[in-house]
Amino acid sequence: MDADSGQGRENVNLLIRFIDKMNRWIGRIVSYLVIVMILTIMYEVIARYFFGSPTLWVTELNIYVLCGYILLAGGATLADNGHVRVDIFWGTLSTRNKALTDIITSGLLFAFCLALVWKGGEMAIRSFVNSAASAEAMGWPLYPSQFMVPLGGFLLLLQGLAKLWRDILIFRNGGK
């Protein structure tokens, strides 16, 4: 029985490491979207102020790129412990109590992620089915950026589960 539970624990740890690597890899990939934004905004500034020919597509493109950047980087940010906390309270806790606090509050994270996946998925599917387009000048389809909502929520949910597993282990081992 102990061998089976040890093997099961090792399988979970392998899955957790995979989730970490996947989210960090996705985070690195989407971090390059900032370069796209910088280059397109530079293009817009040059076109507008030096040639008197502003574009119609730069603002809309950057709205879409920013959606992907923010939503898809959430899991990587959680993997790197980069989300905001109330450090006045947090900094005074022991490692074990920090893990316990995260275990207790993980329900809020999971509720948020499930809402993103569920309602964001409904919104993206509805936009796809109805061929909804933006009200901006280019009138691009909305579903690609809206699909980032459930995808980002799912990635954050997976990383939250990985963090919960680690926090449970820390709490069980007395903060070690």
Side-chain angles (χ1 to χ4, degrees), residues 7 9 12 14 22 26 33 35 44 49 61 67 79 107 113 139 146 159 162-163 168:
Q7 181 62 42
R9 195 171 308 127
V12 172
L14 283 171
M22 176 188 63
I26 291 169
L33 292 176
I35 296 169
E44 172 66 18
Y49 293 106
L61 174 68
C67 286
C113 292
Q146 290 177 345
Q159 195 62 52
K163 182 169 181 3
I168 289 170

Side-chain angles (χ1 to χ4, degrees), residues 7 23 41 50 59 93 98 100 102 172:
Q7 181 62 42
N23 267 316
I41 291 170
F50 292 106
T59 301
L93 298 176
K98 286 177 182 177
L100 178 61
D102 282 349
R172 281 184 50 199

Side-chain angles (χ1 to χ4, degrees), residues 14-92:
L14 283 171
L15 178 62
I16 297 305
R17 285 193 294 276
F18 172 77
I19 291 169
D20 288 342
K21 286 181 182 180
M22 176 188 63
N23 267 316
R24 286 187 173 116
W25 181 79
I26 291 169
R28 260 192 303 281
I29 297 299
V30 299
S31 71
Y32 291 109
L33 292 176
V34 171
I35 296 169
V36 171
M37 293 176 69
I38 290 169
L39 292 174
T40 57
I41 291 170
M42 283 175 47
Y43 176 82
E44 172 66 18
V45 168
I46 292 167
R48 177 179 304 249
Y49 293 106
F50 292 106
F51 300 109
S53 180
T55 64
L56 295 174
W57 56 271
V58 168
T59 301
E60 191 165 2
L61 174 68
N62 280 296
I63 290 168
Y64 281 57
V65 170
L66 188 60
C67 286
Y69 177 75
I70 290 171
L71 292 164
L72 297 181
T77 304
L78 184 59
D80 292 334
N81 249 346
H83 286 284
V84 176
R85 287 202 169 109
V86 181
D87 285 338
I88 293 171
F89 169 71
W90 183 258
T92 63

